[in-house]
């Protein structure tokens, strides 16, 4: 029987040792519980390894499928284009219109495939950790956005000196997506305002990108991060819906989490930890 023994000295009033007290406890129950926990842990580790392998295989599969779809798609697009150019005179207006739609659809599908491949690369690329000046990155991304649309008046407020550790290239992609969204979804706000800052949520240092744009319905807050999930139509705001899926993957790879708060017509805030 496994026992745990504890001993102590027994003294009289003056502190003289008059005896030894030993207590032996039957700990077979605890031992059994410990062994059970050990077994469960080994089991859990094995399952986690299996899951990770399965995930990697799925990723590789998605990558090669997307990759291989490009060649036949190029043929569809290329040959429809060729027919449109060379045989336009033999086609009536409706025939030309159909072919134009084939071209447009294959173009669109090519964009979706490119997005999927980019997403896949984000998950597979190795993390290269180092110091990253998030404030400087945000400033650079904002400058780029301004250059792309100099006619827009957007107030960008950036908290100073927010430096962290992570993969600079991937964190830049995160900020490009979050700020790109804030920029896009404030296009109808006057004055438009975007803020990058730092706060503490549940004791964790947390970064956020806040805007005063069109916002969204909180009922769909989790959906936003799924690939190709969009709450706004493409004619209203352009995009394919891959940005936030990319953001989520990058943040998860850094061991953090990302979430959103918003309200229709009241702007949106995207939070992330690292
Ligand atoms: N700042 C924001 N304000 C309001 N809605 C947003 C904001 N950011 C994202 N969303 C909502 O989440 C959806 C998904 O965002 P995501 O960045 O993944 O896609 P996208 O911007 O539409 O396209 P892409 O990023 O691929 O160009 C958006 O279509 C929009 O409905
Ligand atoms: Mg986006």
């Amino acid at each position: 029987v496994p026992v745990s023994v504890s001993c102590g000295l027994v003294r009289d009033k003056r502190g003289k040792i008059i005896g030894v007290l030993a207590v032996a406890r039957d700990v077979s129950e605890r031992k059994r519980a410990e062994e059970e926990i050990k077994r469960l842990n080994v089991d859990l580790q094995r399952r986690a390894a299996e899951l990770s392998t399965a995930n990697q295989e799925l990723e590789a599969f998605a990558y090669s499928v997307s990759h291989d779809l490009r060649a036949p798609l190029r043929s569809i697009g290329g040959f429809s284009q060729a027919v449109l150019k060379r045989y336009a005179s033999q086609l009536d207006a409706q025939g030309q219109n159909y072919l134009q739609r084939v071209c447009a659809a294959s173009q669109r599908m090519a964009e979706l495939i490119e997005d999927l491949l980019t997403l896949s690369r984000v998950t597979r690329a190795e993390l290269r950790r180092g110091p990253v000046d998030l404030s400087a990155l945000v400033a650079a991304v904002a400058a780029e956005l301004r250059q792309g649309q100099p006619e827009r008046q957007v107030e960008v407020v950036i908290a100073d000196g927010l430096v962290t550790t992570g993969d600079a290239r991937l964190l830049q992609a995160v900020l490009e997506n979050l700020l790109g969204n804030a920029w896009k979804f404030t296009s109808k706000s006057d004055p438009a305002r975007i803020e990058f800052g730092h706060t503490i949520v549940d004791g964790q240092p947390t970064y956020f990108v806040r805007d005063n744009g069109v916002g969204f319905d909180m009922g769909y807050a989790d959906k936003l991060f799924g690939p190709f999930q969009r709450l706004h139509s493409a004619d209203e705001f352009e995009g394919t819906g891959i940005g936030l899926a990319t953001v989520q993957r990058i943040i998860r790879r850094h061991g953090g989490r990302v979430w959103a708060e918003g309200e229709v017509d009241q702007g949106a805030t995207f939070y992330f930890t690292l």
Side-chain angles (χ1 to χ4, degrees):
V1 179
V3 288
S4 108
V5 181
S6 29
C7 303
L9 299 174
V10 184
R11 298 168 192 269
D12 67 6
K13 271 186 222 144
R14 287 196 221 117
K16 197 175 149 215
I17 297 170
I18 52 167
V20 177
L21 183 69
V23 179
R25 251 189 238 109
D26 173 355
V27 290
S28 38
E29 199 42 53
R30 199 180 75 197
K31 260 261 160 346
R32 247 199 304 282
E34 276 171 10
E35 253 138 44
E36 178 67 4
I37 289 173
K38 250 187 232 154
R39 200 184 56 74
L40 286 174
N41 265 334
V42 169
D43 208 40
L44 205 63
Q45 270 164 16
R46 197 182 36 108
R47 273 172 211 231
E50 275 171 16
L51 207 61
S52 152
T53 311
N55 254 334
Q56 274 166 18
E57 279 168 7
L58 211 59
E59 273 300 331
F61 176 73
Y63 187 86
S64 60
V65 168
S66 317
H67 192 268
D68 295 354
L69 280 176
R70 292 198 294 192
L73 191 61
R74 262 199 296 273
S75 293
I76 296 171
F79 284 116
S80 335
Q81 202 90 55
V83 172
L84 261 180
K85 264 200 192 135
R86 269 198 30 213
Y87 304 97
S89 57
Q90 284 160 267
L91 291 169
D92 62 8
Q94 190 166 48
Q96 290 186 23
N97 177 267
Y98 285 165
L99 267 184
Q100 264 150 9
R101 281 156 74 171
V102 172
C103 284
S106 58
Q107 178 67 39
R108 169 97 186 115
M109 190 165 161
E111 283 165 17
L112 294 176
I113 289 175
E114 276 318 309
D115 282 347
L116 274 179
L117 287 173
T118 310
L119 186 62
S120 187
R121 284 188 201 109
V122 162
T123 325
R124 290 140 60 93
E126 208 184 313
L127 274 197
R128 270 176 282 164
R129 283 180 187 274
V132 184
D133 186 339
L134 293 177
S135 302
L137 271 183
V138 169
V141 172
E144 193 120 317
L145 287 166
R146 268 192 216 290
Q147 218 165 45
Q149 271 184 317
E151 70 283 3
R152 278 198 60 191
Q153 295 291 328
V154 181
E155 185 195 356
V156 182
V157 181
I158 306 170
D160 257 348
L162 296 182
V163 178
T164 185
T165 306
D167 184 308
R169 200 179 45 89
L170 291 180
L171 290 182
Q172 173 164 354
V174 165
L175 294 169
E176 275 169 0
N177 276 303
L178 293 182
L179 287 157
N181 282 346
W183 185 271
K184 173 164 64 181
F185 293 105
T186 51
S187 59
K188 291 169 187 158
S189 311
D190 191 19
R193 187 173 191 277
I194 299 173
E195 184 187 352
F196 174 67
H198 180 267
T199 174
I200 302 284
V201 178
D202 296 333
Q204 295 264 5
T206 303
Y207 304 95
F208 65 85
V209 175
R210 176 169 295 146
D211 68 62
N212 66 345
V214 289
F216 61 87
D217 179 345
M218 267 309 263
Y220 301 106
D222 287 338
K223 273 215 153 79
L224 299 180
F225 297 94
F228 306 126
Q229 299 276 3
R230 309 193 72 223
L231 299 185
H232 299 88
S233 71
D235 2 303
E236 212 186 348
F237 296 100
E238 60 174 33
T240 54
I242 207 76
L244 288 179
T246 311
V247 167
Q248 188 177 56
R249 290 208 183 178
I250 295 174
I251 296 299
R252 281 195 180 156
R253 291 209 53 197
H254 280 80
R257 97 191 159 91
V258 56
W259 69 98
E261 279 171 10
E263 203 180 316
V264 175
D265 291 331
Q266 302 295 319
T269 307
F270 285 79
Y271 296 91
F272 64 92
T273 63
L274 288 170

